[in-house]
Amino acid sequence: MSDSSLMRSTSVMAAGTFVSRILGFVRTSLLTGLLGVSGALAADTFITANTVPNQIYNLIASGLLNAVLVPQIVRAAKDPDGGQAFLDRLLTVSLLGIAAVTVVATLLAPAVPLVLRPSEGSWDAATVALCIAFAYWCMPQIFFYGVYTVLGQVLNARGRFGAYMWAPVANNVVAIVGLVAMFVWIGGFDRFTNPHPPASWTPGQIAGLAGTATLGVVVQALVLFWPLWRMGFRYRPRFGLRGVGLASAGKVAGWTFAAAVMGQLFFIVTVRAVLTAGAGGGPGQNSYSNAFLLFMLPHSLVTVSLVTALFTRMSESAVSGRPDLVRRDLSVGLRLTGVASVLAVAAMVAVGPELTATLFITNAPPDTRAIAAAATAMMLGLVPFSAQYLFQRAFYAFADARTPFLIQVPVVLTIAATSFAAGHLLDPQHIVVGVGLGMALGYLVGAVLSAVALHRRLGGLDGRRVLRTYVRLAAAAVPAVLVGRLIAWGGHAWLGQTKASSALVLVVGGLAVLAVYLGACRVLRVTEIGELAEPLLKRLPGRRAARG
């Protein structure tokens, strides 16, 4: 894959992710307005129940399947049959395994409120029952998330990147329709007049909320069959495992699965700390989830899109015995993702409160400010988080999952320890912010350890060039933040603290942050700005005409 093709693929994926995330924010805003944020037990039970399939999906997709499928498919493509027999068997094993996990998780649904509960205090019987009911409806998502991931990685390994990133759009549309229906049915959350207490939920209302959430995931998975069929892919279940080289895939999967399980076990500590905040009247699970959604937005738009395409290219280079090309791609990935990550941090620091006040317009100012504070704390770790994501894919390209596992140990210990401390030492109003800061510290630990390990394996990481780029990006971010904060302060001093003024300040201040950042990058000669912008500029009518 050439550099121009890489950037075109990245722009297509980023566009799909952008549309999906915009709809995701609409969905999240509706959910927050429906169930509330601070002290909202129904919100905590639903988010907790829906967290389990999402975390198991992350366990399967972010590590296990993503680490195994693409490198193994690239290697198998050199077989006489183009890797068809290998792929059929690998898909069969993967889908059967996901189905088994789904069945076990569904049977264990009553354990969800026992494991994922506040670390201090307790839920009453009605709250526990509501959480279990939501969990039963949400658990089938695991299988369809797995189907979506398996089919998506087949597309990615064959250079078809767009459908995988556009499919979640369908999921969000279905979920939004369901949430609008729920608003009409039960009305929006009000702490005093309509708090939606757990004991008030009927079986139909439970099915309406959780059932449409699961239906969205089903649609997300099924829409991928169409692009696979069009590219000529035909899957035939094969159950024999001998003679097709699955042993190496199994070894990679084992280490990756162990790392993911370890992360999820320690994630329980984080969830319990967050639920403690909610039980104590502070920002709880919904606030944490919304903050994490904001944190993941720039990562999903640029880093995931770029690294998805780079991963295939790095795997091909690793198979060909060219560590120098892997090192080159790491340098490209670190510098390009850094442009977006540093800008996102600057924007959040500058106009974060205005962003959350606008996105979550149905919520009270204390709730939106709590989300902004938590998201800003998490954002401080965005740059190392994105770097670590790329570093992991470099290890996986060499079929090495053992090293990422060893690196994951101090990462999860750091996050778990800081989450535990936040849950027991901080006031409920500040627990989620403390958890976010601990996450940022954990991501920094992982990025540093990964960089050291890869430097040894690849004989360097183009460190001087990467460091020079990041120093310039940081220097460009400082005046951007100052200008953004000045506009926010002046705007509210003039217009007051209203939803309308927050939206206006967000637009004006956000554009100012972008303009100052890009201008400073140009003055500082950050060439990566042009590399990211070129695929978009080529799509403009004037540019196409000029080229013609």
Side-chain angles (χ1 to χ4, degrees):
M1 180 187 295
S2 64
D3 287 344
S4 60
S5 177
L6 172 70
M7 296 311 300
R8 282 196 302 271
S9 298
T10 300
S11 65
V12 170
M13 288 185 282
T17 303
F18 178 75
V19 174
S20 175
R21 292 293 174 173
I22 293 298
L23 292 176
F25 279 119
V26 174
R27 172 182 180 175
T28 301
S29 181
L30 287 171
L31 180 63
T32 302
L34 180 71
L35 299 182
V37 176
S38 297
L41 289 178
D44 282 351
T45 57
F46 176 71
I47 298 297
T48 298
N50 204 41
T51 290
V52 176
N54 277 276
Q55 291 303 320
I56 294 177
Y57 161 66
N58 290 333
L59 184 155
I60 295 171
S62 298
L64 185 59
L65 293 178
N66 286 353
V68 173
L69 285 179
V70 171
Q72 298 299 329
I73 293 170
V74 169
R75 286 174 172 81
K78 299 181 180 296
D79 294 345
D81 67 345
Q84 186 63 46
F86 175 89
L87 187 56
D88 286 341
R89 287 175 169 84
L90 191 60
L91 292 181
T92 301
V93 170
S94 299
L95 293 176
L96 288 175
I98 295 165
V101 169
T102 304
V103 171
V104 172
T106 303
L107 293 175
L108 294 176
V112 170
L114 300 178
V115 177
L116 301 177
R117 60 181 176 82
S119 56
E120 293 185 1
S122 61
W123 283 342
D124 60 25
T127 305
V128 170
L130 181 61
C131 185
I132 293 173
F134 280 141
Y136 274 122
W137 276 99
C138 292
M139 288 303 177
Q141 295 176 19
I142 297 169
F143 177 74
F144 292 98
Y145 272 135
V147 172
Y148 161 74
T149 302
V150 170
L151 299 182
Q153 294 310 312
V154 173
L155 287 165
N156 289 344
R158 299 193 174 189
R160 307 293 181 90
F161 301 104
Y164 186 55
M165 295 300 187
W166 279 91
V169 171
N171 180 353
N172 283 320
V173 170
V174 172
I176 287 170
V177 171
L179 288 169
V180 170
M182 290 299 298
F183 253 104
V184 174
W185 191 351
I186 67 174
F189 175 86
D190 186 281
R191 192 173 304 174
F192 303 105
T193 63
N194 195 27
H196 301 315
S200 69
W201 284 75
T202 67
Q205 291 168 349
I206 293 169
L209 179 60
T212 51
T214 297
L215 179 61
V217 181
V218 174
V219 174
Q220 175 178 317
L222 296 183
V223 296
L224 291 186
F225 280 99
W226 174 244
L228 281 168
W229 182 268
R230 289 191 63 187
M231 65 181 273
F233 175 77
R234 302 294 183 269
Y235 165 62
R236 182 167 68 89
R238 298 174 189 254
F239 297 93
L241 301 179
R242 293 183 176 275
V244 292
L246 282 178
S248 61
K251 183 178 180 180
V252 174
W255 281 111
T256 309
F257 188 76
V261 167
M262 179 178 59
Q264 297 309 312
L265 288 175
F266 280 98
F267 178 71
I268 294 173
V269 180
T270 297
V271 172
R272 294 183 67 175
V274 171
L275 291 175
T276 297
Q285 183 77 310
N286 211 358
S287 179
Y288 170 85
S289 298
N290 291 333
F292 191 73
L293 181 65
L294 287 171
F295 167 77
M296 287 297 293
L297 176 61
H299 175 77
S300 302
L301 279 175
V302 178
T303 303
V304 173
S305 300
L306 177 64
V307 175
T308 298
L310 272 177
F311 187 31
T312 300
R313 199 164 80 172
M314 288 192 295
S315 298
E316 293 169 349
S317 300
V319 170
S320 302
R322 294 294 305 275
D324 58 312
L325 297 182
V326 176
R327 183 170 61 246
R328 179 204 64 183
D329 285 340
L330 273 175
S331 174
V332 170
L334 288 170
R335 289 182 285 110
L336 292 180
T337 59
V339 172
S341 298
V342 174
L343 172 60
V345 176
M348 195 68 210
V349 173
V351 291
E354 290 71 31
L355 175 63
T356 56
T358 303
L359 288 176
F360 307 106
I361 194 169
T362 60
N363 293 98
D367 292 338
T368 61
R369 286 196 293 269
I371 296 171
T376 302
M378 295 178 189
M379 282 279 193
L380 297 178
L382 180 62
V383 172
F385 179 77
S386 295
Q388 171 69 351
Y389 184 83
L390 177 59
F391 290 148
Q392 284 184 334
R393 270 56 192 173
F395 287 117
Y396 295 154
F398 288 99
D400 176 10
R402 179 177 178 271
T403 303
F405 169 81
L406 297 176
I407 291 171
Q408 186 76 350
V409 174
V411 173
V412 298
L413 286 175
T414 299
I415 295 175
T418 53
S419 294
F420 181 85
H424 286 80
L425 300 178
L426 297 180
D427 183 272
Q429 295 295 329
H430 303 133
I431 288 176
V432 176
V433 173
V435 168
L437 291 173
M439 292 165 59
L441 178 61
Y443 300 147
L444 178 61
V445 170
V448 170
L449 294 177
S450 294
V452 171
L454 280 171
H455 186 278
R456 293 172 179 171
R457 166 167 285 191
L458 300 176
L461 290 177
D462 198 13
R464 289 185 179 179
R465 188 178 183 187
V466 172
L467 181 60
R468 182 169 63 246
T469 298
Y470 274 89
V471 169
R472 292 176 178 178
L473 292 174
V478 172
V481 170
L482 294 176
V483 170
R485 286 309 307 155
L486 181 62
I487 291 174
W489 176 81
H492 289 302
W494 180 34
L495 300 172
Q497 295 282 350
T498 66
K499 294 288 186 181
S501 66
S502 293
L504 181 60
V505 168
L506 173 63
V507 173
V508 177
L511 290 175
V513 169
L514 177 63
V516 173
Y517 181 77
L518 293 178
C521 284
R522 181 172 183 137
V523 171
L524 295 171
R525 298 180 181 179
V526 180
T527 59
E528 290 76 14
I529 295 289
E531 295 178 44
L532 278 174
E534 185 63 20
L536 300 177
L537 294 175
K538 286 182 177 179
R539 295 177 181 271
L540 296 178
R543 287 289 296 269
R544 287 200 299 266
R547 291 178 66 194

